[in-house]
Amino acid sequence: MWKQWLIALVLVAVAIGGAFMYQNLDDGDAAQGGRERPASAVNTRLPQMETVRDVVNAVGSLKALNAVELTTEVSGRVVQLNLETGRRVEQGEVLLRLDDRQARADLQVIEAQLADARRQYERAQRLRSNNSISQSQVDELRTAVDVAEAQRQSARVRLENHRIEAPFAGVVGLSDISVGAYITAGTSVTTLDTTDRMELGFSIPERFLGQVSRGQQVRGASPAYPDQTFSGQLVELGSRVSELSRSLPVRALIDNPDGLLRPGQFMSATLTLRQREALVIPEQAVMIRGDEQYVFVAEDGVARRVSVNLGSRMPGFVEVSKGLSQEDPVIVTGQDRLSSGDRVRVLEDDKAIPENRFITARES
């Protein structure tokens, strides 16, 4: 009998202990639920005023501003050669001369004939004053003088054609000609290019026609020089829009003072349509939900959600046209876990924003 009482007492004790533990558990949950959510650690950045550009990106090819393939006008043997590849020459500098002894002799003969024709014409004029010869004879002698003068001019041209001069200042190209070689008329001697400024041809979409004008800034980049940009300006606009590409061909002049760029080279171009001072923030601070773009601003230890209107984008940064001021500390890290009204704890960390390898492109 006493065993039954013992079992009953144990059951009652277990029930009382369970009820006590359940009550303590409810009290702990209630206390935990009543405590505030801990402040989220975040980093902030103030918006900055920077130069913002509306740009159009395109690709094109470079051409020399002046380019020519030099060829011989007459046949002959090369006696003088001044064609060092890559050398810069001035306008009028002699690049090649052929043996011109025969041409000089022909010119001397014609000059002698011209002198004789002039003497006969002058004698005939004196005789005509005395009516010793007819006017028709005088006219014939005058015609002979004119013919001799024309022949002299032709001989001078033939003599000049035995040498090739630089038609403009530029850089000499490759040549396979050597001194002593006999070349025929029409033989290609070398090329000559003006490379101080290069012509860059590219096309822009027709939707930008209303914003394009001569004189706008153009920046070029070449895969051959990845860490360098080349500046220039827009100089020519095409008169027709391509029906196939719906784009307008344009031309820009790119400065090339060091001679790094060469004709035919590929180049990407950035045309600046408009430039202004505007607020910019790190691109990583922007949150998107549906059609809304917003950021979080830290105010007195509390996160506040602010809708913003964005403008042009740059590497790592974006323009804010509406919604922020320069005094608003924008949260740039941890914002994806925040809601408006949450408590925040601002940390000081200069490396909160990763280094951007395109930062040089933005600054240039």
Side-chain angles (χ1 to χ4, degrees):
M1 185 67 181
W2 61 276
K3 291 182 178 181
Q4 295 177 349
W5 283 100
L6 181 60
I7 293 173
L9 290 174
V10 172
L11 293 175
V12 171
V14 170
I16 294 174
F20 181 75
M21 292 179 63
Y22 179 77
Q23 183 177 1
N24 288 341
L25 181 61
D26 286 346
D27 292 342
D29 290 343
Q32 185 175 1
R35 289 199 299 267
E36 291 186 0
R37 180 179 176 182
S40 299
V42 298
N43 297 99
T44 62
R45 289 291 185 273
L46 292 175
Q48 299 178 350
M49 291 294 296
E50 290 200 12
T51 301
V52 176
R53 301 179 178 92
D54 293 334
V55 300
V56 177
N57 295 315
V59 294
S61 297
L62 290 171
K63 291 175 57 180
L65 192 58
N66 295 308
V68 66
E69 182 179 1
L70 300 175
T71 58
T72 55
E73 297 281 349
V74 297
S75 301
R77 193 171 303 278
V78 179
V79 296
Q80 180 183 349
L81 196 63
N82 192 21
L83 297 177
E84 182 181 349
T85 301
R87 188 174 71 88
R88 185 174 296 277
V89 297
E90 298 300 326
Q91 181 177 4
E93 187 173 341
V94 176
L95 304 179
L96 178 143
R97 187 168 66 86
L98 302 177
D99 185 358
D100 58 2
R101 290 176 295 178
Q102 183 62 51
R104 290 182 182 276
D106 293 342
L107 178 60
Q108 291 175 354
V109 169
I110 292 176
E111 285 179 339
Q113 293 174 347
L114 174 61
D116 181 63
R118 284 176 174 171
R119 285 193 299 269
Q120 292 187 32
Y121 174 64
E122 291 172 357
R123 186 182 306 111
Q125 283 184 315
R126 289 193 297 270
L127 293 175
R128 176 58 184 165
S129 61
N130 299 327
N131 292 324
S132 298
I133 61 174
S134 65
Q135 182 62 41
S136 61
Q137 291 177 304
V138 175
D139 294 339
E140 289 178 359
L141 293 173
R142 176 61 206 177
T143 301
V145 171
D146 294 339
V147 170
E149 288 178 346
Q151 290 176 338
R152 182 185 63 174
Q153 182 62 30
S154 177
R156 285 177 176 176
V157 171
R158 286 195 300 271
L159 177 61
E160 291 175 357
N161 287 341
H162 281 73
R163 67 177 184 271
I164 296 179
E165 298 179 352
F168 49 81
V171 177
V172 177
L174 295 173
S175 176
D176 296 326
I177 307 298
S178 58
V179 174
Y182 185 87
I183 56 179
T184 58
T187 300
S188 176
V189 175
T190 187
T191 59
L192 185 66
D193 299 305
T194 300
T195 59
D196 291 338
R197 303 184 76 187
M198 302 292 289
E199 182 181 285
L200 176 62
F202 58 97
S203 297
I204 57 173
E206 65 176 344
R207 66 179 181 274
F208 296 111
L209 289 182
Q211 306 175 55
V212 177
S213 61
R214 293 182 180 87
Q216 289 177 329
Q217 181 185 9
V218 177
R219 288 175 295 140
S222 170
Y225 309 102
D227 299 327
Q228 190 168 354
T229 58
F230 301 87
S231 60
Q233 64 178 359
L234 199 65
V235 294
E236 292 182 3
L237 305 179
S239 59
R240 296 181 179 181
V241 173
S242 170
E243 295 181 358
L244 295 177
S245 62
R246 311 310 306 178
S247 61
L248 178 73
V250 298
R251 292 176 181 172
L253 287 183
I254 303 296
D255 295 329
N256 186 33
D258 300 326
L260 298 178
L261 302 176
R262 299 176 185 270
Q265 193 170 345
F266 171 85
M267 175 169 277
S268 59
T270 301
L271 172 64
T272 301
L273 300 175
R274 190 163 62 102
Q275 183 171 303
R276 62 193 179 280
E277 295 296 318
L279 278 181
V280 298
I281 61 173
E283 193 172 23
Q284 70 183 51
V286 179
M287 305 290 290
I288 300 176
R289 178 172 296 177
D291 295 334
E292 182 186 12
Q293 297 171 321
Y294 62 93
V295 298
F296 284 100
V297 175
E299 290 185 349
D300 300 326
V302 177
R304 179 171 63 88
R305 176 171 164 172
V306 178
S307 296
V308 293
N309 292 343
L310 304 181
S312 296
R313 294 181 181 270
M314 300 169 288
F317 291 82
V318 62
E319 175 192 4
V320 178
S321 58
K322 184 178 180 182
L324 292 177
S325 67
Q326 284 186 270
E327 291 75 27
D328 293 329
V330 178
I331 298 175
V332 296
T333 61
Q335 70 273 28
D336 54 340
R337 304 185 303 272
L338 294 178
S339 297
S340 189
D342 287 354
R343 296 175 60 246
V344 293
R345 178 168 52 91
V346 178
L347 302 178
E348 297 296 333
D349 185 2
D350 295 336
K351 297 183 178 180
I353 302 176
E355 289 189 12
N356 192 334
R357 65 188 180 94
F358 298 107
I359 192 67
T360 55
R362 182 174 68 90
E363 292 176 348
S364 62

